[in-house]
Amino acid sequence: MLLRFDRQFCDRYVKGTERHDTFEEITYQQAQRLIQREIKQPQQQDLLKVLAKRSQTDAYYQAHIRYQDNEHRDNNLVMRLRAWLPKVEVLTPWDLRQSFAADAATQFMLYHN
């Protein structure tokens, strides 16, 4: 999993807290290399374009998670990520990113119709 956090939020609520051993902060450049190494096309190009629009001073984290697809996932993790919205952006896994985007669009429509 690859996440991007708002730096101020991260420094206040994430950094220095007890998390899973595989949850670690990485640099913007490491995030870029991770996408290039681990993500296949066409998602790789899409994610690199997204990353290019993000600040290098934001906080980037990687973690190894139990995740097969939207049906087979760690729901506690997903609930935690939802609690951190809109201060966190799921970059990978791709289908979880797409699920969050669809939910955000649905929520937007609830408040703007």
Side-chain angles (χ1 to χ4, degrees):
M1 169 175 269
L2 180 58
L3 303 171
R4 183 193 63 80
F5 287 95
D6 171 85
R7 174 59 69 184
Q8 290 179 339
F9 175 84
C10 182
D11 287 349
R12 186 168 183 186
Y13 295 105
V14 179
K15 195 171 195 165
T17 60
E18 190 174 323
R19 305 282 174 208
H20 192 272
D21 292 343
T22 67
F23 188 76
E24 64 178 328
E25 188 169 10
I26 61 174
T27 66
Y28 178 91
Q29 291 76 18
Q30 288 172 312
Q32 191 174 41
R33 285 192 299 270
L34 184 68
I35 291 169
Q36 291 168 336
R37 186 180 68 237
E38 300 292 331
I39 307 301
K40 295 181 176 149
Q41 297 294 352
Q43 291 86 12
Q44 182 187 89
Q45 280 307 110
D46 293 340
L47 280 172
L48 290 172
K49 288 177 186 174
V50 167
L51 191 64
K53 296 177 185 176
R54 303 302 184 257
S55 174
Q56 292 189 26
T57 61
D58 285 343
Y60 296 88
Y61 278 78
Q62 72 173 358
H64 298 282
I65 61 169
R66 291 185 312 264
Y67 187 88
Q68 181 178 340
D69 55 34
N70 277 323
E71 297 295 317
H72 303 92
R73 63 186 189 187
D74 181 344
N75 283 322
N76 289 327
L77 172 69
V78 172
M79 289 179 1
R80 172 60 58 106
L81 292 172
R82 290 190 190 286
W84 286 340
L85 290 173
K87 304 297 185 182
V88 64
E89 177 181 15
V90 174
L91 296 169
T92 68
W94 181 258
D95 57 335
L96 184 59
R97 177 182 174 76
Q98 296 306 305
S99 174
F100 271 52
D103 291 349
T106 300
Q107 187 175 15
F108 178 84
M109 294 306 295
L110 287 173
Y111 290 98
H112 290 90
N113 272 337

